[in-house]
Amino acid sequence: MFVGFDYGSANCAIGVMEESGVRLLPLAAGSNYLTSTLYALDRELIAEAVYQQMPTALKADYAKARAGQLTRARNARRELDLEPNEQAVFVGERAVNAYLEMPEEGFYVRSPKSFLGATGLRTEQIALFEDIVTMMMLYIKQQAESLEGLNSKGAITHAVIGRPVNFQGIGGEESNQQAETILRLAAKRAGFTDVDFLFEPLAAGMDFEASLTEDKIVLVVDVGGGTTDCSVVKMGPSHMESKERSQDFLGHSGQRVGGNDLDIALSMKAFMSHLGLGCHMTNGLPVPSKPFWNAVAVNDISAQRDFSSLNSRKTIEELIKEAKRPELLKRLLKVQKEQLGYRIVRSAEQVKISLSDTDTVTTNLDYVCPNLDAEVTQALFKEAIELPSAKIEALMKQALEMAGVMPDVIYVTGGTARSPAIYDRIAAMHPETPIVVGDHFGSVTAGLTRWAQKVFA
């Protein structure tokens, strides 16, 4: 059985082909999307959870590769006084809820896909991300196979998995290969016997192509949670049946800039002044901005490691002694001690979503300080996201310059493109060109599923 698998930075989704077309499968209560998060009471327990749930035939090789982690997992389970079968690793909204309940006690990762192409990862870090991705794929695959109507069709064995044009802005093809290798290995350990990959903007465009009645040159702009990808593609009735589409791909670009970057930028602009950013020391110098950035840079491994360190805590404690507004810096210290950075970014994400429908949002930050509210306007949001917005514009220009043609239509998709601020920037680039807005969340999965049918059926 084959599927289209969107392992996204913000959400994951999986689709199957039925007589009526593509069907996205429910992965969470009332939703076809699973939030891309994982929480473990201890990071060593992730390997244990993978071992317990992976196909029996693969366990021996995995146990050999993860012998050290599995031993440490047994020790961690004893130290945490957990029962042998007590769940210790959670994914999706259950992971978010576990983190919000115990932010300082466990291991939480949001948008693990954002890290897969990171440069300078050590061997043990790559192994950790392999396990995180495997754990999430195992969960999603098991959820899909258990659904009524599918459980009689046997195991899901084949998948087309989406990937961005570039997983990282730096690192080039080496980063892309590292990320794709992690995804391929994780899929194998999760029980997929054969996988193929397809650029996400092309997948999104293929779903749109199914609706075309005449050939068009389409600029696909896919602004996702972790990356933005643009592709210029020949589409239409004379192209859609071909299994070899490389000649139709005229130009593409991609970079790790997306909804996560908007959330981080908004956190800095809207929230960090309430924690002391912009204040001054008694000697007249401004408070250093680095601790504030590290607190919310949830897609930067080194920044998160730095912020959680004892040295960072000592630095903030010293700043409190010398600050003109020490009461504000004490809030930053609480964020450091209780590891609340992810929660702050989550608040920014919720504000961003709310600003799609209103001009002003007031959000409560009482988990940082009682009765602390922050007001965010559309104007402030646009100012905060100026840099990532400019990067998205540059990617559109790059794809069109590579293609050497102008598009007949611009097809916009991806969850982040729901933001009016982002849509307006895209529309202003070529005001004379028609814009079609696709299913912001489901178009990539639908396209992957259609391609899986061509590749595996």
Side-chain angles (χ1 to χ4, degrees):
M1 185 176 176
F2 64 84
V3 296
F5 196 146
D6 181 13
Y7 183 76
S9 298
N11 297 284
C12 298
I14 194 167
V16 296
M17 288 299 301
E18 297 184 340
E19 290 185 5
S20 58
V22 177
R23 175 193 172 199
L24 269 61
L25 303 180
L27 297 178
S31 176
N32 295 332
Y33 305 97
L34 182 79
T35 305
S36 294
T37 54
L38 179 143
Y39 179 90
L41 297 179
D42 187 286
R43 73 171 63 193
E44 303 295 352
L45 295 169
I46 301 172
E48 177 194 69
V50 169
Y51 177 78
Q52 290 173 345
Q53 297 185 40
M54 72 189 312
T56 303
L58 303 176
K59 286 189 174 183
D61 287 342
Y62 181 79
K64 184 182 295 185
R66 294 289 190 271
Q69 289 93 329
L70 293 173
T71 298
R72 292 193 292 273
R74 288 191 290 270
N75 295 334
R77 189 168 281 276
R78 284 195 297 269
E79 290 173 5
L80 293 170
D81 196 26
L82 297 173
E83 295 294 329
N85 295 320
E86 186 174 349
Q87 187 174 358
V89 180
F90 307 88
V91 299
E93 280 301 312
R94 295 186 68 189
V96 174
N97 294 335
Y99 163 73
L100 295 177
E101 185 178 337
M102 301 176 289
E104 75 282 6
E105 294 182 16
F107 172 77
Y108 180 71
V109 60
R110 178 178 185 257
S111 303
K113 182 181 177 182
S114 300
F115 299 100
L116 303 186
T119 56
L121 289 182
R122 301 188 301 273
T123 301
E124 61 270 23
Q125 290 176 317
I126 291 177
L128 175 62
F129 283 114
E130 287 172 353
D131 289 344
I132 289 171
V133 178
T134 302
M135 187 67 226
M136 295 182 69
M137 286 188 171
L138 278 166
Y139 179 85
I140 291 168
K141 187 171 182 288
Q142 291 165 3
Q143 287 289 107
E145 289 173 343
S146 67
L147 292 173
E148 185 176 354
L150 286 183
N151 50 18
S152 61
K153 296 183 179 181
I156 297 171
T157 54
H158 294 64
V160 171
I161 300 174
R163 55 151 289 185
V165 174
N166 289 307
F167 283 86
Q168 292 279 335
I170 58 175
E173 193 54 31
E174 185 177 346
S175 288
N176 292 334
Q177 288 301 316
Q178 173 182 286
E180 192 169 299
T181 298
I182 292 173
L183 287 169
R184 190 180 296 276
L185 179 59
K188 178 182 177 182
R189 287 174 173 168
F192 292 100
T193 59
D194 196 1
V195 298
D196 198 6
F197 291 91
L198 183 67
F199 286 152
E200 289 161 356
L202 302 180
M206 285 177 184
D207 187 49
F208 169 59
E209 184 178 44
S211 68
L212 290 178
T213 57
E214 59 180 329
D215 290 349
K216 300 279 187 181
I217 294 176
V218 182
L219 171 59
V220 182
V221 183
D222 180 8
V223 190
T227 57
T228 293
D229 293 295
C230 301
S231 290
V232 183
V233 192
K234 292 180 180 178
M235 293 184 179
S238 64
H239 303 283
M240 65 177 64
E241 295 303 322
S242 174
K243 289 187 177 181
E244 175 52 57
R245 299 295 300 269
S246 58
Q247 71 275 10
D248 297 333
F249 305 148
L250 306 180
H252 58 251
S253 63
Q255 189 176 343
R256 200 186 78 167
V257 56
N260 292 339
D261 301 273
L262 270 58
D263 302 337
I264 291 167
L266 183 58
S267 297
M268 284 290 287
K269 187 73 175 179
F271 299 156
M272 285 300 156
S273 60
H274 298 284
L275 278 66
L277 181 63
C279 294
H280 288 76
M281 312 293 287
T282 54
N283 61 10
L285 294 174
V287 173
S289 62
K290 184 178 179 181
F292 299 92
W293 174 256
N294 287 349
V296 295
V298 295
N299 58 359
D300 185 323
I301 294 174
S302 60
Q304 288 294 287
R305 185 167 57 239
D306 187 5
F307 186 68
S308 63
S309 69
L310 182 60
N311 284 339
S312 179
R313 182 174 302 183
K314 291 180 177 178
T315 296
I316 297 171
E317 288 172 343
E318 290 300 316
L319 291 175
I320 290 171
K321 294 177 183 178
E322 302 295 329
K324 289 185 177 180
R325 299 285 307 276
E327 72 280 5
L328 297 185
L329 272 297
K330 288 179 180 178
R331 298 173 180 175
L332 180 64
L333 183 61
K334 180 177 180 180
V335 171
Q336 196 279 338
K337 287 182 175 180
E338 298 183 12
Q339 295 299 291
L340 298 174
Y342 279 102
R343 190 163 183 181
I344 290 175
V345 175
R346 180 175 169 82
S347 293
E349 179 185 25
Q350 292 168 339
V351 168
K352 176 189 70 179
I353 294 170
S354 296
L355 285 172
S356 298
D357 303 314
T358 186
D359 290 331
T360 304
V361 175
T362 299
T363 189
N364 186 271
L365 303 174
D366 59 357
Y367 54 87
V368 174
C369 178
N371 304 315
L372 176 59
D373 293 324
E375 184 178 271
V376 186
T377 63
Q378 276 282 1
L380 187 146
F381 177 57
K382 289 182 179 179
E383 183 180 349
I385 65 170
E386 174 58 35
L387 181 58
S389 298
K391 289 181 178 179
I392 293 169
E393 284 188 356
L395 289 171
M396 293 174 62
K397 291 179 181 177
Q398 183 182 343
L400 289 171
E401 287 172 0
M402 182 182 294
V405 296
M406 290 301 293
D408 298 313
V409 62
I410 298 174
Y411 180 68
V412 179
T413 186
T416 302
R418 292 178 63 196
S419 167
I422 295 297
Y423 176 85
D424 290 347
R425 289 290 288 260
I426 294 172
M429 288 280 291
H430 298 282
E432 73 288 353
T433 304
I435 292 183
V436 175
V437 179
D439 180 346
H440 284 301
F441 293 108
S443 60
V444 170
T445 312
L448 294 172
T449 307
R450 293 181 187 278
W451 191 249
Q453 185 180 41
K454 289 184 179 182
V455 173
F456 297 127

